[in-house]
Amino acid sequence: MFALELNHISKAYQDGERENLVLNDLSLKIGKGEFAAVLGPSGSGKSTLLTIAGMLLSADKGNIIINGDNVSDRKQKEWTKIRREKLGFIFQNHQLLPYLTTEEQLKLVADMKPYKTKEERNKAVDELLQELGISNCNKKYPKQMSGGEKQRAAIARAFINRPEVILADEPTASLDGTRGRQIAEMIRQEVKIRNTAAIMVTHDERILDLVDSVYRLDYGNLLKI
Ligand SMILES: Nc1ncnc2c1ncn2[C@@H]1O[C@H](COP(=O)(O)OP(=O)(O)OP(=O)(O)O)[C@@H](O)[C@H]1O
Ligand SMILES: [Mg+2]
């Protein structure tokens, strides 16, 4: 069974009079513990693809299956719950809340579902921060942290609910080469420790040795390369 299956996804945006077909009968399967990269020119539909896989936008056609569960059949009302329980997001700009410390960012989103007690959850927060090398940032606000530290905090936040699938849209784009590579390494590390599937959109071909599979999005479809 695959962690994530996208089957025959199509999506068009209305562009004035014209329809702009961005995804054209696209299919993709990602296994548990698989770290996949998606490349493609600007405007090719990479963010649209992640937004649909992340159930933040509905496709015109096709379906999404997460660990055997056809989630696109569910009512829109249930999507928020599925997003919270099954999916983790990492964006180009960390999107941390400015008025919360790192620890608080994680606790805020930490659903109690994977944890029996608050203590267990707090322990998971500490463990993740340690694995990602930012234990020293637990009481810090985003403005007191470097770009790389903030991006690591965003990774921790994406993993805290033990999601089945991680979706990362250019998570290294705002960082220099070395720090960008470290971020991709951190995502890989967590994907492997936790056996989570992950899709990362990137423009940085230098980090492709860190992923298990590489796809190129072109003319609305994915080619494995
Ligand atoms: N909400 C929208 N309404 C109309 N058109 C849109 C919308 N969002 C995206 N598009 C168009 O769809 C196409 C794909 O956009 P998308 O953001 O998915 O590209 P991308 O591959 O992520 O690009 P980039 O590398 O620049 O981030 C573009 O032509 C864009 O203009
Ligand atoms: Mg994009």
Side-chain angles (χ1 to χ4, degrees), residues 6 13 38 53 93 102 111 153 176 185 194 204 206 213 225:
L6 300 179
Y13 291 114
V38 173
N93 296 311
T102 301
D111 206 309
D176 64 46
E185 280 168 353
R194 290 157 205 276
D204 188 355
R206 293 169 303 179
S213 46
I225 52 174

Side-chain angles (χ1 to χ4, degrees), residues 13-14 20 22 40-49 170 203:
Y13 291 114
Q14 204 58 42
N20 177 13
V22 178
S42 179
S44 59
K46 303 178 300 297
S47 295
T48 303
L49 169 65
E170 303 198 43
H203 283 288

Side-chain angles (χ1 to χ4, degrees), residues 22-194:
V22 178
L23 304 178
N24 183 10
D25 197 30
L26 175 155
S27 295
L28 173 68
K29 291 179 169 62
I30 309 281
K32 283 187 183 168
E34 179 178 348
F35 187 17
V38 173
L39 307 173
S42 179
S44 59
K46 303 178 300 297
S47 295
T48 303
L49 169 65
L50 280 199
T51 316
I52 288 174
M55 301 180 75
L56 293 159
L57 179 71
S58 55
D60 299 334
K61 288 186 200 145
N63 59 48
I64 301 170
I65 299 173
I66 301 177
N67 280 319
D69 185 5
N70 186 342
V71 291
S72 26
D73 277 356
R74 307 288 189 73
K75 296 199 184 75
Q76 292 266 351
K77 270 202 282 189
E78 287 181 55
W79 283 26
T80 314
K81 187 165 176 280
I82 296 167
R83 267 202 307 271
R84 204 174 56 220
E85 291 176 2
K86 296 182 187 286
L87 304 170
F89 297 89
I90 306 167
F91 301 97
Q92 174 173 348
N93 296 311
H94 56 82
Q95 300 199 353
L96 297 171
L97 299 168
Y99 48 85
L100 293 181
T101 66
T102 301
E103 205 171 70
E104 288 164 350
Q105 314 267 353
L106 268 65
K107 287 180 185 168
L108 178 74
V109 296
D111 206 309
M112 285 311 286
K113 211 152 203 183
Y115 308 107
K116 289 195 194 69
T117 60
K118 261 202 173 117
E119 289 66 38
E120 200 182 309
R121 183 203 61 185
N122 293 350
K123 193 166 156 262
V125 169
D126 290 344
E127 251 170 42
L128 254 174
L129 297 185
Q130 198 161 357
E131 272 168 29
L132 294 166
I134 49 166
S135 299
N136 61 316
C137 295
N138 63 344
K139 306 275 189 233
K140 282 188 180 174
Y141 293 92
K143 65 167 190 270
Q144 302 170 304
M145 293 156 66
S146 74
E149 286 168 343
K150 280 185 278 207
Q151 209 49 328
R152 287 181 201 202
I155 295 173
R157 186 182 55 181
F159 278 94
I160 191 64
N161 282 338
R162 301 188 181 153
E164 293 165 45
V165 180
I166 290 280
L167 300 163
D169 198 351
E170 303 198 43
T172 67
S174 61
L175 303 170
D176 64 46
T178 312
R179 284 201 299 185
R181 189 174 173 84
Q182 279 177 356
I183 289 305
E185 280 168 353
M186 296 286 171
I187 298 173
R188 180 182 177 83
Q189 171 189 307
E190 294 309 315
V191 159
K192 297 300 172 187
I193 293 177
R194 290 157 205 276

